[in-house]
Every structure is written in C-alpha cells, then in structure tokens.
Amino acid sequence: MKPLHILTCKALLVLVVVLICNSTALAERCDTLALIVAQDNPITNISEEQLQRIYLGKVITFSGNLRIQLVEHDCCLDFFYNRILHKTKGQVRKHWLKNIFSGRDCIPPTLIRDSKELLEHVAKTKGAIGFLPLHEINDSVKLLSVDGAQPSDSGYVLITCDNDQSKP
Amino acid sequence: MKRYTKALPIILMLIMFVAGHTNGQERDFRLYGFFDMEAKISNKDAAGKNWTFDQHHFNLLFDFRIDDRIRVCSEMEWEHGAVLGGGDDVGEIYLAKAYLEYRFSERFQLRVGKFLTPFGIYNERHDATPTFTSTTLPASVYSKRVLSPYCHQARLFAKEGAGIQLIGTFQPNDWLLRYQTYLTNGRGDAPFEKDNNANKAVGGRVTIAPPSTHGHIGFSFFRERSTINHNAVNTLLGLEAEYDIATFHLEAEAIISSIEAIDSLYQPIGGHYQSEGAYALVSYTLFDRLTPFVRYDYYKPGWSDSYTQETKQTIGMNFSVTDRVFLKSEIIFNQTNMITQDHNYRSFIMSIAAAL
C-alpha cells in the first residue's frame, strides 16, 4: 500500500498535465491576421466587441442595413476564435448550431479554403468580411483597423501570434 | 398520414436536389437538420427496468431566403420513429415552425406564422438536442405539469404558437439588447388555425449582454387564457442567465407560474396557484471535446394532491465526436417528496445526436 501523500501527489500531477494539455491545445502559431472587406464597403474601423458579435451572429448588418456575409479561411481559425471570440472552434461551431436551430435570421460563416478565392469573394461582395494572413492581402480589398489600430501597429489585436498564449 | 412516411425518401431526394442546385449558386436556400437516438433505463417501475431504445428526433429545417430582407423558415419533425395511419399510430409528425420574416432593420424584424415561443434559453430550439449539453431539457422549466386541480397536464407555457412576432437588436453604449415580443392564438383545440376565445396569448423575451462579457441575462413573460386550462388566466415570468469563462459554462433559469384558481364548473373562485421551478447547469470542456456537466433541477407545484416538490440531479458527460456529432451519457437522480411516501428513482440515458 502506497502512502496517501504519494497517491495524492500523483493525482495532482495527472490533473496538472491534463490542464496544461487542455491549455496548449488551444494555442497555435500563425501570421498577423488582416481583416478585410470590399473596397465599396463604407466601414474602415471595427471594435473588437463588434467583431465578436458579428462572428457569433449576434449582429447581422453593417451600418446602412448592409447584410453581413462572414467568410473564413481555415489557416488561422483557432487563433482568430481564441483571440477575438475567446472561444474554441468547438464552442463556436456549437454556438452557430444554436443560432440555426433557434430559427434566428443568421447565415453561418462560409469556409473558403483558397485564399485567392476568398480575396475575390470579399472584393466583389459588399457585405462580406473575412480575415487572412497579412502577406496574402492585395489591393482588391480594404484593410480594417481594429479599435483604431492598423495591422502594422503594435497595439493591433491580431498581431503575429508566434508563441501566442492566448486562450479562450 | 402513412403516406407522409412513405413519401419521406422522395421528399428528401427532392430537397437534396434543390439544395445542391441553389446552395452553391445564390445561397438562397439552406437545409439543416438533426437526428438523435437514445437508450435509457430507470429503476422507477418494472417496465422501466428494460433497456429502451428511442429514435427520438429526426428534424429538417428549411431556410428559404427570398431576398436580402425576406426569408421563410420552417421545420418538420418526425418524432419517436413516427408511423401514422392504419390504426397503429406511433410517434408524431408535425410542423414545428413555419414563418415568414421581414427585416426592416437590425432593430425591427417582423415574423408571421407558426413559431416556437421565445421563452427561456431552450424553447426556440426545443428539440434540437445536438445543441444541448445534456440529452434532456431541464424538467423544472420545460416539462408538462398539472397547474391546478381542474386543469389538464400541459407545459407551463405554450411550446409554439401561430401569430406575429417582433424581433430586434439594439447596442446602446456597447451593451447588446435583443427583444422578442409576440401575439398568438394561445393553446386550444386547433391553435394554429383559430382562436376559440377572445384572448390572445402574449409574451416576450429580452436578453441583455453587458460590454466585454461572455454571457447574458434575460427575462421572459407569457400570459394566456386558453381552453387547455378552462380559460383560467395563466401568467409566467422567467429569468435566465448564461456565462462562459474560457471553457467553463454556467447557465441557470428560474420560472414562476401563476394560474387563476377555478372550481369544478371552471368558474374563477378567487386566488391563484403559484408554482416555481429553477435549474442550474455547470460544465467544463476539456480538449475541445469532452464536457462533463452537472445540473440541479427544482420544481415546487402550486397545489399538491400528490407531491410537494421535485428535485433532479443530473451528472453526465458530453463527448464531441466531430463538430456536429455528440455522444452523451448521464445519470439522473430523481427525488419526489410524495405526500404519502418518498419516491426516489434513478435514470440512465445514453444518446447520440447529430446536426445535419
């Protein structure tokens, strides 16, 4: 029979490992993300709060009653969800299922795997909003600042996430 | 009715064909759905000691977008492996909702048709089990009850109604406020076709989310005078709260129901029967897949010919196989304080639920 304190230590060690694994599973490496909209979309800046509500389907229009169309690219989904929505991918997916089956007027994000295709889609769709690594952006779309900060600014919320420790 | 079940495969093929031709082009039609299957056992009585399989729900939800502002949404449900017609009816096939919605603006949307009553956290997605942490809805708020001595067993509030609803979202000072208010026929013999009394059911739900938080609080209200309760006035107030901290989730609801007291001739005799219910659920998700949870339910009836209060403790696990498929298991400890004796029993439920 092992002493009780050894068993307790082992149990605590297992618990710590589980919690660390759960935390590290949520972090990932990716580039600086740029938020993009069509050039003819009047919006130029967005707040983090607003972005969160848009990507959870709580707000469905830009100003001027312009219907929002969410577009996603799978390269940095986890990072975006963690940093902006403070949720895991599973939580976000479940949130959208709740929206859909509640009968709410909502259109879930469209996943576009090809970044060029995503750029083209955003460029020609006035209400579309999406995100891509900054180096993949061209002039066909407009970059959004977040809470007044541009992607090149140090205070930009989606700045490069190497060694990122953000967790939901 | 049997023809409906026979026609199901053909309907599905047609839907898939239409969806395949419209979804990729103009995105003006979207098809969703869900399926679930349960296995359960309880030690409540002799019959309950058999394992029971229940193909509980197969629902299809149609979202037609006529243009940027107008949409029609409907949901068909096949419940408990429905077979209707031929004298051996089992299960149910029914239209859970069918409404047209017009969006004037984010702050003002008009919905007309049949809709699930916006009351509390769950009622608008009443049967959509893939969205639940647990397999079952909290009994304290969503189960059927006998509210007073001469009333029938029914839900505390109408699950669905036919009428009109106004919906809107406001963002004053970064707060998020969403309202829903409605006017429906209320319950009765043919509630989605006609109103058999002069009183409409009225109600509403308001949810408020403060800035920079990951939760909300909400209030619901429902009032009707329906033939299901012999035209006694039934008023309900509900309070809800949901909060997320990382992968920790908390939700709770409380409800107070007050129904006018009537005599055996269904005449008001003054006074009310007031029942109360509440529950709280706590869960924590590990590895984005495994979600252990506990829930505590409490219900106190407004009158008591059989029991004075009921509690349920549910302990369970929800495993996300994929983003859309969930395996769940839970054990429910039921405690009912009977007037004559204590009556306690346990139930065990396993289920699989898939969102389509």
Side-chain angles (χ1 to χ4, degrees):
Chain A
M1 195 77 160
K2 289 181 179 177
L4 189 61
H5 69 274
I6 295 179
L7 288 173
T8 309
C9 286
K10 282 185 175 176
L12 282 172
L13 190 65
V14 168
L15 184 65
V16 168
V17 168
V18 165
L19 289 174
I20 288 171
C21 289
N22 191 39
S23 304
T24 52
L26 301 172
E28 66 171 86
R29 297 165 70 92
C30 71
D31 295 323
T32 301
L33 282 187
L35 281 165
I36 51 172
V37 293
Q39 291 286 5
D40 56 350
N41 188 326
I43 190 171
T44 55
N45 178 61
I46 195 165
S47 72
E48 197 177 330
E49 185 92 41
Q50 196 69 8
L51 197 54
Q52 194 181 98
R53 287 170 181 173
I54 285 174
Y55 266 90
L56 290 175
K58 293 177 179 177
V59 172
I60 58 171
T61 57
F62 288 123
S63 59
N65 212 14
L66 177 63
R67 178 86 202 200
I68 296 169
Q69 284 192 31
L70 301 170
V71 190
E72 291 179 338
H73 189 271
D74 54 5
C75 77
C76 300
L77 268 184
D78 286 340
F79 169 68
F80 182 81
Y81 288 162
N82 292 345
R83 180 57 70 88
I84 298 297
L85 308 183
H86 307 286
K87 289 182 185 295
T88 62
K89 199 193 289 186
Q91 286 177 304
V92 175
R93 295 283 186 262
K94 201 156 190 175
H95 179 88
W96 277 100
L97 290 180
K98 289 177 185 176
N99 282 350
I100 290 164
F101 293 122
S102 299
R104 287 178 81 143
D105 183 7
C106 65
I107 300 176
T110 304
L111 185 68
I112 300 178
R113 295 183 190 282
D114 182 62
S115 51
K116 285 181 184 168
E117 196 183 320
L118 189 148
L119 275 175
E120 282 172 23
H121 179 81
V122 172
K124 69 182 181 189
T125 310
K126 192 176 178 183
I129 180 169
F131 52 86
L132 274 177
L134 185 60
H135 66 267
E136 295 192 36
I137 307 297
N138 60 32
D139 291 341
S140 65
V141 293
K142 180 162 65 177
L143 283 180
L144 286 186
S145 57
V146 181
D147 288 319
Q150 293 288 342
S152 52
D153 297 343
S154 59
Y156 185 65
V157 69
L158 293 170
I159 203 119
T160 185
C161 52
D162 282 354
N163 303 316
D164 177 64
Q165 294 300 313
S166 67
K167 293 177 272 296
Chain B
M1 285 295 181
K2 207 167 186 174
R3 64 180 180 272
Y4 287 115
T5 46
K6 283 182 178 173
L8 178 60
I10 299 167
I11 294 169
L12 282 177
M13 285 171 66
L14 275 172
I15 290 165
M16 300 310 271
F17 178 80
V18 174
H21 280 74
T22 57
N23 214 15
Q25 293 171 11
E26 298 178 3
R27 300 181 190 279
D28 59 354
F29 171 66
R30 286 163 191 267
L31 175 66
Y32 306 101
F34 55 88
F35 159 91
D36 63 30
M37 167 84 179
E38 297 164 9
K40 46 194 168 187
I41 190 167
S42 117
N43 64 351
K44 184 176 182 181
D45 49 41
K49 285 176 184 169
N50 297 321
W51 271 103
T52 299
F53 293 113
D54 182 2
Q55 195 281 289
H56 200 155
H57 300 104
F58 176 66
N59 287 40
L60 291 176
L61 191 141
F62 313 95
D63 190 354
F64 300 88
R65 288 175 186 273
I66 294 167
D67 67 22
D68 189 42
R69 289 169 181 263
I70 306 172
R71 73 182 189 117
V72 173
C73 181
S74 70
E75 182 179 341
M76 280 295 299
E77 173 162 307
W78 288 261
E79 191 169 22
H80 301 303
V83 177
L84 300 183
D88 297 318
D89 293 359
V90 290
E92 280 182 2
I93 299 174
Y94 86 110
L95 186 69
K97 56 193 171 209
Y99 54 79
L100 183 145
E101 199 171 275
Y102 185 83
R103 176 169 53 83
F104 294 92
S105 70
E106 185 104 32
R107 295 179 173 186
F108 186 67
Q109 294 160 57
L110 177 66
R111 184 180 283 184
V112 295
K114 180 184 178 185
F115 45 81
L116 291 172
T117 307
F119 193 104
I121 291 172
Y122 284 101
N123 199 58
E124 281 191 292
R125 50 186 167 97
H126 196 101
D127 297 307
T129 53
T131 66
F132 303 172
T133 308
S134 167
T135 299
T136 55
L137 283 172
S140 52
V141 176
Y142 298 94
S143 281
K144 292 180 179 178
R145 309 284 180 181
V146 180
L147 289 176
S148 79
Y150 299 105
C151 288
H152 303 292
Q153 188 180 51
R155 288 193 172 82
L156 298 172
F157 52 88
K159 179 183 173 185
E160 63 258 302
I164 59 172
Q165 184 181 160
L166 300 180
I167 305 163
T169 303
F170 289 83
Q171 299 181 76
N173 297 323
D174 271 349
W175 287 62
L176 188 74
L177 188 151
R178 179 177 161 85
Y179 74 88
Q180 291 170 275
T181 182
Y182 53 89
L183 185 73
T184 66
N185 285 339
R187 289 175 283 190
D189 296 332
F192 313 115
E193 181 187 355
K194 61 183 180 184
D195 198 345
N196 48 16
N197 65 27
N199 296 87
K200 292 281 178 285
V202 295
R205 181 183 179 214
V206 175
T207 58
I208 302 162
S212 307
T213 56
H214 304 288
H216 77 264
I217 57 167
F219 308 91
S220 300
F221 170 77
F222 179 79
R223 183 183 171 92
E224 73 170 355
R225 187 194 285 270
S226 73
T227 49
I228 206 163
N229 290 322
H230 306 296
N231 287 320
V233 177
N234 182 21
T235 308
L236 283 100
L237 286 172
L239 176 66
E240 64 183 78
E242 276 193 284
Y243 198 75
D244 290 304
I245 308 170
T247 59
F248 175 82
H249 175 76
L250 169 69
E251 67 183 47
E253 284 189 79
I255 191 170
I256 295 176
S257 162
S258 175
I259 190 163
E260 196 177 22
I262 51 174
D263 61 16
S264 58
L265 299 172
Y266 311 139
Q267 297 304 309
I269 54 173
H272 292 81
Y273 294 107
Q274 182 173 302
S275 51
E276 298 154 14
Y279 77 90
L281 181 146
V282 179
S283 69
Y284 182 75
T285 301
L286 293 158
F287 310 117
D288 208 15
R289 288 193 182 280
L290 202 59
T291 308
F293 66 91
V294 292
R295 183 172 72 198
Y296 179 81
D297 260 287
Y298 168 83
Y299 180 75
K300 184 183 174 196
W303 69 291
S304 52
D305 71 334
S306 58
Y307 67 99
T308 54
Q309 70 173 47
E310 171 189 303
T311 60
K312 289 176 190 282
Q313 290 100 46
T314 306
I315 300 170
M317 184 73 79
N318 180 315
F319 176 66
S320 170
V321 182
T322 72
D323 288 345
R324 291 174 172 269
V325 180
F326 306 91
L327 279 174
K328 306 177 200 176
S329 64
E330 61 205 60
I331 185 162
I332 306 168
F333 299 90
N334 302 272
Q335 281 116 24
T336 308
N337 288 351
M338 308 292 284
I339 284 173
T340 51
Q341 57 174 323
D342 282 342
H343 187 73
N344 303 329
Y345 64 98
R346 294 182 304 279
S347 311
F348 180 70
I349 304 176
M350 291 178 70
S351 69
I352 183 164
L356 312 174

